[in-house]
Structures are given as structure tokens and as C-alpha cells.
Amino acid sequence: MKVLLTGGAGYIGSHTCVELIEAGFETVIADNFDNSSPKVVDRIERITGTRPKLYTLDVADKAAVDEMFENEHFDAVVHFAGLKAVGESVQIPVRYYRNNIDTTLTLLETMKKYHVNLFVFSSSATVYGVPETVPLTEGMPTWCTNPYGWTKYMNEQILTDAARADEELSVVLLRYFNPIGAHKSGLIGENPNGIPNNLMPYITQVAVGKLPRLGVFGNDYPTPDGTGVRDYIHVVDLAKGHLKALEYAASHKGAEIFNLGTSQGYSVLDIVNTFSRVNGIEIPYDIKDRRPGDIAECYADPKKANEILNWHADLGLEDMCRDSWNWQKNNPQGY
Ligand code: WQD
């Protein structure tokens, strides 16, 4: 199977590319390197011995995407490319809607033209908004609290409607929880531009000395230790979920949603303390005010993915902390 990975040089895209290559898939990366590095392709080749073909393009560029589809005869598309910073999306919502929706529409139109019928979409637990109860199942209400989340929500709706209208199209919507960790080689990992928004890259940059201290955003939530609880999932487990999603898409029609999480919630201080214990590095932190838009608790019920995709998250929090640090200490300045 020949698979296009849009945004394939990104954090989750690159880890998925490695797993697909190692499972025998032929992979092609399309990336504009807005939020990723061309060096990732070299690293994927070092890990797997296979260099994915690369198209440097913007997935919203219809002419460029059309030429790529004409050159390559894809069997499937895994769509990672998109703007993904929650806070930034509040500042520049129109850019987020334009980019994150146009890319999906361009792909759908081009796939239709070239009879490519398998679409796996990188969605997010952020579509659940402020959950009424946890753990979260796929049938629970969705409602968003920021433009980034709304673009995921709208893309899910677009893809669901497209699959309903086209009996040949198979769509799998993967709702990621909180991906952290890195490939055991330490050659690829999370490489945010500027000051990290997310917890683990912030911790690893404190550990490596790039940042002085961690700010813990609130310790007055209704959680065991007062800090926010999330479902952290190892990025390699998440990547393997895409393999299962492609296999499912190849034997089903319509659109299907799956939570990719572990069902285990950990607090901010759980992460900090486990990271310190596993890696022998103290992480100085200060308790700060809550971050606007944050929720107290969010973790998955992954039973549907477990049973239907035959997928399970196998790696635990210690692996996530060890592998995150292994990436950062070997790449203190990122790529
Ligand atoms: C985790 C916890 C923070 C940073 C976001 C997006 C989601 C997905 C993953 C894209 C929270 C706390 C964080 C820090 C802190 N991204 N925290 N200090 O907000 O759960 O999810 O990233 O798909 O869509 O919403 O992840 O890592 O930012 O925060 O205390 O410097 O860590 O309050 O409790 P989040 P996060």
C-alpha cells in the first residue's frame, strides 16, 4: 500500500512514517516545513534504512497537490498537516480556518479525481471541549472552546459527510489524547517552534537547560493533587494506531471515529515527578495561575479502538518520560 502522509515531517507524522515503513508500506511525505524540519527525512532514513519520497508543498496548493497525485498512485492518505497551537488559533482564527479546512477540502477533491479512497484524519480529544464526565467515549458530546478545536470538529463533519455521499470513500477519524515521548533511537521527537505550549517539551527544555523553570498552570483543580489530569500516550503507540486505522479503512466504507488514548489519567505533578525519578533530573517549578481554556480532567475510554482496531497502548509513563528525555538530551537544540 502506498500512503501519502501530509505533514509527515512533523512530530506524529514522522513517527507514523517510521512505523508504516517498518510494516512494509510505501510512504510519501508532503510538508511545507512551516512547523517541521527537512532533517526529519534524513532521520527517518537512518532509523528505517528507507528514505520516504518528499514533496515540499503546501497541501492547500491545489495545483501542486494535483501534480503530486498525478505522479504518484496513492492508495491512501493520512492527513496530519495543519496549524495546531490552541492559543495561537485564538489570535489568528481566520488563518486557522483557512489553512486547516482548505487542506482537507483540497485533499478530498484531489482524491476523488484520482480515485484514492482511504482517508485517515488526525483529529483530537480537544473536540470534546469541557467534558461532563470522564473517561470519554466516541459518542459523547463534542463542542469546542477555541478555533483550533473547531477546525478539527469541522474537518470531522466534512469527512463524515463526504464518506456518506461517496460509497467508495472510507474515512477513519483518530481523536488523539496527549501524545508525548519519542522513538527509542532518539533521532526523532517533538520539536516545537519557540517556547513550547505543551507540558512535556517544556519539561525537557528545562531539563536540558534551555528554560529555567516550569510553570504549573494551576493547582486548584478538582483533581487528586489539584493539577490538570490528562491521558498521555506514547507517540509510538499513537503511530501504530495509524497502521491499524489504515488496515481498518481498507476493509470498511463510511466514516468511523476512534479515541487513541490509554484510559489512564496523570496529573501535571505526576509527569514532573515521574520524569525526575526516571531520568534522575530535578525539574524546578512554580505554581502559576490556571491557563485560560484549560480543563481539569480529560482521559479516554479506548475500548472501541481496542476491540475494533485491535490496537492497545503498550508503553507506560516511564517509557514516555525516558524516551522524551533521550530525544531532548541528544538534540538539545532540536533538529
Ligand atoms: C497538559 C497539562 C496544562 C504546559 C493540548 C491541545 C490538544 C493537543 C495536545 C494538539 C495541562 C499543563 C502545560 C505548561 C502546565 N494538541 N501545563 N505548564 O492542553 O491538554 O492539550 O495539546 O492536538 O489539542 O489542547 O496539553 O501539554 O498543553 O497541557 O502546567 O507549561 O499540562 O495546564 O493541565 P493540553 P498541554
Side-chain angles (χ1 to χ4, degrees), residues 268-282:
V268 175
L269 294 182
D270 288 332
I271 304 299
V272 172
N273 295 331
T274 304
F275 183 92
S276 292
R277 175 171 52 79
V278 163
N279 297 306
I281 303 172
E282 280 311 303

Side-chain angles (χ1 to χ4, degrees), residues 84 86 123-126 146 148 152 176-179 196-202 214-218 221 227-230 232 268 291 294-296:
K84 57 158 266 181
V86 170
S123 191
S124 168
T126 205
N146 57 75
Y148 160 75
K152 292 297 186 184
Y176 305 159
F177 281 70
N178 286 62
N197 296 307
N198 295 138
L199 178 64
M200 184 55 89
Y202 203 106
L214 169 71
V216 174
F217 297 148
Y221 285 102
T227 64
V229 170
R230 297 291 185 275
Y232 296 93
V268 175
R291 179 172 62 178
D294 271 359
I295 58 179

Side-chain angles (χ1 to χ4, degrees), residues 206-220:
V206 170
V208 82
K210 275 188 80 175
L211 293 168
R213 301 174 70 84
L214 169 71
V216 174
F217 297 148
N219 68 345
D220 58 350

Side-chain angles (χ1 to χ4, degrees), residues 157-307:
Q157 191 57 56
I158 290 165
L159 288 159
T160 300
D161 289 345
R164 195 172 287 141
D166 177 352
E167 63 183 14
E168 287 307 306
L169 183 60
S170 175
V171 165
V172 177
L173 305 169
L174 299 178
R175 289 177 180 168
Y176 305 159
F177 281 70
N178 286 62
I180 61 174
H183 188 267
K184 61 183 181 299
S185 65
L187 289 170
I188 53 177
E190 192 166 6
N191 185 47
N193 287 335
I195 303 291
N197 296 307
N198 295 138
L199 178 64
M200 184 55 89
Y202 203 106
I203 288 174
T204 59
Q205 290 196 17
V206 170
V208 82
K210 275 188 80 175
L211 293 168
R213 301 174 70 84
L214 169 71
V216 174
F217 297 148
N219 68 345
D220 58 350
Y221 285 102
T223 61
D225 65 17
T227 64
V229 170
R230 297 291 185 275
D231 185 333
Y232 296 93
I233 175 171
H234 199 293
V235 66
V236 171
D237 278 328
L238 189 65
K240 290 177 176 174
H242 292 73
L243 202 59
K244 296 289 191 180
L246 283 166
E247 290 167 357
Y248 178 87
S251 54
H252 292 78
K253 297 296 178 195
E256 202 64 60
I257 299 171
F258 295 97
N259 285 340
L260 294 190
T262 69
S263 80
Q264 173 66 53
Y266 287 107
S267 74
V268 175
L269 294 182
D270 288 332
I271 304 299
V272 172
N273 295 331
T274 304
F275 183 92
S276 292
R277 175 171 52 79
V278 163
N279 297 306
I281 303 172
E282 280 311 303
I283 301 295
Y285 66 84
D286 304 300
I287 301 297
K288 304 278 190 182
D289 291 339
R290 292 183 179 189
R291 179 172 62 178
D294 271 359
I295 58 179
E297 275 193 304
C298 177
Y299 53 91
D301 175 348
K303 196 181 292 90
K304 184 179 175 187
N306 299 159
E307 292 172 357

